[in-house]
Amino acid sequence: MLTTTRAHHLPFFQTALHAYKSTRRSSSTSSINGHRLPRLSDLVLIRHGESEGNIARQRSLAGDHSLFCGEFKHRHSSNWRLTDRGRRQAAAAGDWLRRNNLAHFDRYLVSEYLRAMETAGRMGLPDARWYAEMLIRERDWGAMDLMSEQERFIKMQDELKRRELNRFYYAPPGGESLAAVAQRADRLLGILNQECHDKQAIVVAHGEVIWAMRTRLERMSQETFIELQESGRMVDQIHNGHVLHYTRKDPQTGQMAPFFTHVRSVCPWNEKLSPKGWIKINRPVYDNELLLATAERVPRMIISEEYLEKTYNGAKSLSKGDVAPDISADPASSSEPSSASSPTKASVKTEEGQTPLLIPGKPMLNLKKVVVVKKMSRFQHESELYGNEGEALRKQMSMRGFIHDRLKASHEHHIEAVDEITNSFKDRNIEVKVVSANQLTHEAVEGTDMIFSAGGDGTFLKTASFVNTPIPVAGLNTDPKRSEGNLCCYKVDNVTHRFSTALDRLLDGDFKWRLRQRIRVGMVNQDGYWFELPRYALNEVFIAEGDASRPSHYNIGIDQHQRESHRSSGILMCTGTGSSAWYSSACQIYREQVANVLNAMNHTHTNETVTELTESINKQNVFPEDSRDMGYVVREPIINATFGDIRFRRGKARRVSMRSLGWDMKVNIDGIYSVPLDYGVQAVMKITDEPKYVLRTVDFSPSPSSTPIKKIF
């Protein structure tokens, strides 16, 4: 049982959940410190049908302001009546309630405004006894009430600009903010829970009031509220005559919870305008990382004490004719020399170039013991697969479609490069251990000063996945003719790029550390047990069904936004490092698509214009490897009458949680590590700045002279 102090600090629904789990009984007997928790069992919210005011507002938005005159301007908005369409919508809502066994309630509440009262009466619920409730009156728009859009634009331009700062907290002159309406809604919900424990209630009110009640019932953040209202998707809106049904009873198991766990949103007169079926309510809970990630979405205006002094105090002391300081540049760079060769400087990310963070290497390296992870070449794999060699191996490889001589030459080049690498370490009295990539373990890399991968990008990715401590990793491309090696810092050959040259630069500090963020993946089962996967993703995490032909079904949450269910070919999440790989290909558009759009607009264009537009758009998919954002993209989402359009198709996030609803889903990390994601288990992906999650790699490239620099303290 929870103590009084603990219960005081927990959100109410969490407190109820703790009590519910501890007693393992239904909510009718759940308690905290011996006191029962009164709760409604079901709550139905209905927005009134279309009113005269709705028609006037819609026409005004379309440019026809003629209704805002005469008697309309001299009648209070509480006296607006329903239109003919509004009456049909009210009747449709009543029919839907009766068809779904919701014709009888223990408490009937209706707003005092005529359009709500008329809606309640026209629903025709049998034996209904309605109470007119002042707490659910329409939001007060103050001086903006009874104004056309044209009149608002002419008389209240400043107010309209202020409203755009935050629609949830904005209050018009003499009116209410939606946050204030939510406080009214809270009072009403408290009364209903006290007076109608384990009973059903129905409320007929207004769109703004129902939105306010949603924010309280679902613990919806104001950011999610704004996102839903501005999404443009009809299924996200609350239409006239709309029905919202909240329940504590699990629709599948029938088990009662101590608070509302499910909701269904229905537009009875056109069900295509509403999502299908029950939706589980996921109330956002923030950990420290998510709180900080949420705050960091908004850039700071005062970035340092030095910036404050230069920008504001300095501006006040300027006399006539003085030149104001340039506040558009990084304040730290304005007082430092711009030499890119200085060993005590580091290039930082800029808005245009998005240069990754580079930290000087000289004072930070002392090699005594290193590990070299060598790849298994295709030639070696084929040789060990059947135990053949010589002509037998040549024949075997030919039958399997491989060119023996080419693979053998590549293998020999790789072996020579590995020998040159190990000999270079030995010549400098550095202890070296060589490990094959297919035999790599966490224990093999413990206690070493630095790890070198000898192969290509695949070897580097596999090596990095075993590094769970701040051990630096350097990628060496041992076959530059056949491998691009984008993740490798040095191309090794025995002619122009000998490894001994690179090693001397390392020991002399003639390099920079390059920081690459990685994705950590945690798994949460249905009992709440948390397990973090021992490997981190440097490029991407891909979650989908093991059978690629089967659609993936899952429930997803992006940061603290409202969750939604998808059916798709899976979801791909990447770091800045991986944004130039699979993610870039998955997100890119093609020249033909751009050309089709331009043709549909009757736009005259050339092939060069199409190419430039395509490349410009696709470049936006790539972001710096030290970014704390993840890119995500849903692959081929299924959009039909059952699964409507989705809000989270592509974008950036700090945290992605995904609960499996599929048969045989897998979590794939960098294409080299896979774990099952069973039904009901949730995978949580996020990026953090803890040292063990950030991969420290080597960069030998010179810094651009134009890149702003600053000290690293």
Side-chain angles (χ1 to χ4, degrees):
M1 192 65 64
L2 297 174
T3 65
T4 304
T5 303
R6 176 64 172 163
H8 175 73
H9 290 289
L10 282 173
F12 192 68
F13 76 89
Q14 287 182 299
T15 307
L17 179 60
H18 278 272
Y20 169 67
K21 287 184 175 180
S22 64
T23 58
R24 296 186 180 181
R25 292 182 293 179
S26 69
S27 63
S28 60
T29 57
S30 62
S31 62
I32 296 179
N33 293 334
H35 299 288
R36 298 176 67 191
L37 296 172
R39 287 284 183 177
L40 282 166
S41 65
D42 289 86
L43 175 63
V44 174
L45 306 177
I46 298 180
R47 184 186 176 188
H48 63 76
E50 183 185 72
S51 70
E52 296 167 330
N54 294 135
I55 288 290
R57 181 64 56 200
Q58 290 167 10
R59 290 193 175 187
S60 183
L61 288 170
D64 179 5
H65 315 291
S66 59
L67 286 179
F68 284 92
C69 63
E71 184 181 358
F72 199 91
K73 294 282 286 185
H74 295 90
R75 178 183 291 187
H76 191 270
S77 57
S78 63
N79 292 323
W80 287 339
R81 296 288 305 279
L82 294 184
T83 64
D84 290 342
R85 187 184 186 202
R87 293 178 176 183
R88 292 193 297 271
Q89 291 169 343
D95 291 340
W96 185 89
L97 291 175
R98 286 186 288 272
R99 290 198 310 271
N100 288 271
N101 298 320
L102 291 170
H104 299 278
F105 294 87
D106 300 291
R107 182 64 57 87
Y108 300 79
L109 296 180
V110 62
S111 165
E112 292 182 321
Y113 283 35
L114 294 185
R115 54 188 180 274
M117 300 180 81
E118 188 174 357
T119 299
R122 290 188 176 276
M123 289 194 303
L125 299 183
D127 303 322
R129 294 294 181 267
W130 294 92
Y131 292 89
E133 177 54 65
M134 179 184 64
L135 288 175
I136 52 176
R137 67 187 182 276
E138 176 62 295
R139 176 184 180 182
D140 188 350
W141 284 95
M144 283 189 174
D145 201 17
L146 299 178
M147 276 191 181
S148 68
E149 289 300 307
Q150 182 184 47
E151 193 175 0
R152 288 182 179 182
F153 181 78
I154 294 173
K155 296 181 178 180
M156 311 195 82
Q157 283 196 33
D158 291 341
E159 286 299 319
L160 294 178
K161 292 178 182 178
R162 193 165 69 89
R163 182 179 66 176
E164 293 306 312
L165 295 177
N166 191 299
R167 287 177 172 263
F168 187 79
Y169 294 121
Y170 169 76
E176 289 180 297
S177 67
L178 199 68
V181 179
Q183 291 178 314
R184 284 201 267 125
D186 242 3
R187 289 177 58 191
L188 176 69
L189 292 172
I191 294 171
L192 287 175
N193 283 326
Q194 289 289 338
E195 297 182 356
C196 302
H197 175 52
D198 278 348
K199 296 180 180 180
Q200 296 179 325
I202 183 172
V203 174
V204 179
H206 309 269
E208 298 280 74
V209 175
I210 294 176
W211 273 112
M213 296 184 78
R214 283 193 65 182
T215 65
R216 304 306 300 137
L217 292 167
E218 302 174 31
R219 293 295 189 269
M220 184 187 296
S221 68
Q222 53 93 11
E223 185 177 3
T224 300
F225 160 77
I226 294 173
E227 181 182 325
L228 288 174
Q229 284 218 324
E230 297 179 351
S231 71
R233 301 193 326 148
M234 299 304 291
V235 295
D236 288 337
Q237 308 309 312
I238 298 176
H239 306 278
N240 289 112
H242 206 97
V243 178
L244 285 172
H245 177 197
Y246 290 89
T247 184
R248 289 164 40 202
K249 185 177 182 179
D250 190 308
Q252 294 182 340
T253 65
Q255 187 176 13
M256 293 291 286
F259 48 83
F260 292 136
T261 58
H262 290 78
V263 61
R264 52 179 167 175
S265 174
V266 181
C267 182
W269 49 272
N270 185 355
E271 295 197 18
K272 291 182 179 180
L273 300 180
S274 52
K276 300 290 184 180
W278 289 99
I279 301 172
K280 187 174 182 180
I281 300 172
N282 292 283
R283 297 172 174 86
V285 179
Y286 298 79
D287 57 17
N288 294 336
E289 294 170 356
L290 189 52
L291 287 174
L292 294 175
T294 303
E296 288 169 3
R297 288 181 168 186
V298 180
R300 293 194 300 168
M301 293 182 289
I302 302 175
I303 60 177
S304 67
E305 293 296 331
E306 183 182 3
Y307 176 87
L308 181 64
E309 182 178 351
K310 285 187 176 183
T311 305
Y312 296 98
N313 293 344
K316 290 180 180 179
S317 63
L318 288 176
S319 60
K320 187 174 181 180
D322 287 338
V323 179
D326 181 9
I327 63 174
S328 62
D330 188 341
S333 65
S334 62
S335 60
E336 300 293 339
S338 59
S339 172
S341 61
S342 172
T344 61
K345 304 294 188 290
S347 62
V348 296
K349 183 166 53 181
T350 65
E351 291 184 3
E352 294 183 1
Q354 291 188 327
T355 306
L357 180 62
L358 300 176
I359 302 176
K362 189 165 186 176
M364 306 172 66
L365 187 62
N366 182 21
L367 297 183
K368 294 182 179 179
K369 180 180 179 181
V370 299
V371 171
V372 175
V373 180
K374 65 176 183 178
K375 73 174 182 180
M376 172 178 278
S377 67
R378 170 59 68 176
F379 183 86
Q380 181 182 358
H381 172 74
E382 291 294 318
S383 177
E384 295 180 0
L385 186 62
Y386 297 104
N388 293 331
E389 58 183 17
E391 287 301 318
L393 178 60
R394 181 188 295 273
K395 183 177 180 180
Q396 167 197 316
M397 294 180 68
S398 177
M399 293 176 62
R400 287 169 54 81
F402 297 111
I403 301 176
H404 174 274
D405 293 343
R406 181 184 298 175
L407 291 184
K408 183 178 180 181
S410 176
H411 171 73
E412 291 174 348
H413 186 284
H414 167 67
I415 295 299
E416 290 175 0
V418 172
D419 289 341
E420 205 257 324
I421 292 169
T422 55
N423 290 332
S424 296
F425 285 121
K426 293 176 181 178
D427 291 343
R428 290 158 179 79
N429 296 319
I430 299 173
E431 182 182 348
V432 57
K433 179 171 69 172
V434 180
V435 181
S436 180
N438 62 333
Q439 298 175 346
L440 188 60
T441 63
H442 290 283
E443 292 74 17
V445 298
E446 288 182 356
T448 186
D449 297 320
M450 193 167 180
I451 305 170
F452 295 81
S453 69
D457 285 344
T459 310
F460 183 87
L461 285 171
K462 189 164 188 177
T463 302
S465 71
F466 281 92
V467 178
N468 293 354
T469 56
I471 301 175
V473 180
L476 306 175
N477 187 354
T478 58
D479 191 8
K481 291 184 179 180
R482 291 171 50 86
S483 173
E484 189 69 24
N486 290 318
L487 297 176
C488 298
C489 66
Y490 197 79
K491 298 178 180 180
V492 179
D493 61 48
N494 292 328
V495 183
T496 58
H497 293 85
R498 299 186 65 85
F499 175 70
S500 57
T501 304
L503 183 55
D504 288 338
R505 291 184 62 181
L506 280 174
L507 298 177
D508 292 340
D510 184 16
F511 70 97
K512 296 178 181 64
W513 291 123
R514 192 167 201 155
L515 304 183
R516 297 182 184 270
Q517 294 284 5
R518 295 189 290 178
I519 299 174
R520 55 185 286 198
V521 182
M523 312 282 275
V524 186
N525 65 14
Q526 292 172 311
D527 295 327
Y529 176 74
W530 169 274
F531 171 73
E532 184 171 296
L533 299 187
R535 299 192 189 181
Y536 312 134
L538 179 60
N539 263 2
E540 65 260 328
V541 176
F542 180 61
I543 303 180
E545 284 284 346
D547 182 352
S549 65
R550 178 183 292 162
S552 304
H553 188 195
Y554 52 88
N555 181 267
I556 189 171
I558 303 295
D559 289 332
Q560 79 280 15
H561 301 295
Q562 188 178 31
R563 302 178 69 90
E564 61 183 16
S565 294
H566 295 174
R567 277 189 186 271
S568 71
S569 296
I571 182 170
L572 177 70
M573 292 144 287
C574 77
T575 62
T577 299
S579 65
S580 59
W582 185 7
Y583 175 81
S584 179
S585 300
C587 293
Q588 72 177 345
I589 62 172
Y590 303 99
R591 295 182 70 261
E592 294 78 9
Q593 294 171 308
V594 174
N596 288 339
V597 172
L598 294 176
N599 289 332
M601 298 171 60
N602 295 321
H603 187 280
T604 303
H605 57 274
T606 63
N607 289 334
E608 290 76 13
T609 303
V610 173
T611 300
E612 288 177 5
L613 281 173
T614 305
E615 292 178 352
S616 175
I617 294 172
N618 288 335
K619 283 181 180 178
Q620 299 174 16
N621 297 327
V622 182
F623 53 98
E625 57 257 32
D626 63 319
S627 171
R628 291 187 61 192
D629 287 322
M630 291 184 294
Y632 69 88
V633 58
V634 176
R635 304 298 310 273
E636 296 93 34
I638 295 176
I639 300 174
N640 52 28
T642 302
F643 290 88
D645 196 9
I646 62 176
R647 288 182 293 133
F648 305 123
R649 182 174 300 190
R650 190 175 78 180
K652 291 183 180 179
R654 295 292 176 88
R655 183 179 188 271
V656 176
S657 61
M658 182 173 174
R659 184 166 62 90
S660 170
L661 301 174
W663 293 93
D664 183 32
M665 295 190 69
K666 305 285 186 184
V667 178
N668 303 279
I669 296 179
D670 286 337
I672 55 177
Y673 180 58
S674 176
V675 295
L677 186 65
D678 297 332
Y679 184 94
V681 176
Q682 184 171 233
V684 180
M685 283 66 61
K686 54 186 174 181
I687 289 179
T688 62
D689 276 341
E690 294 179 39
K692 71 175 183 177
Y693 299 113
V694 180
L695 188 69
R696 202 153 46 118
T697 63
V698 171
D699 188 282
F700 284 125
S701 60
S703 300
S705 58
S706 60
T707 303
I709 53 179
K710 71 176 183 180
K711 291 182 179 179
I712 299 295
F713 293 97

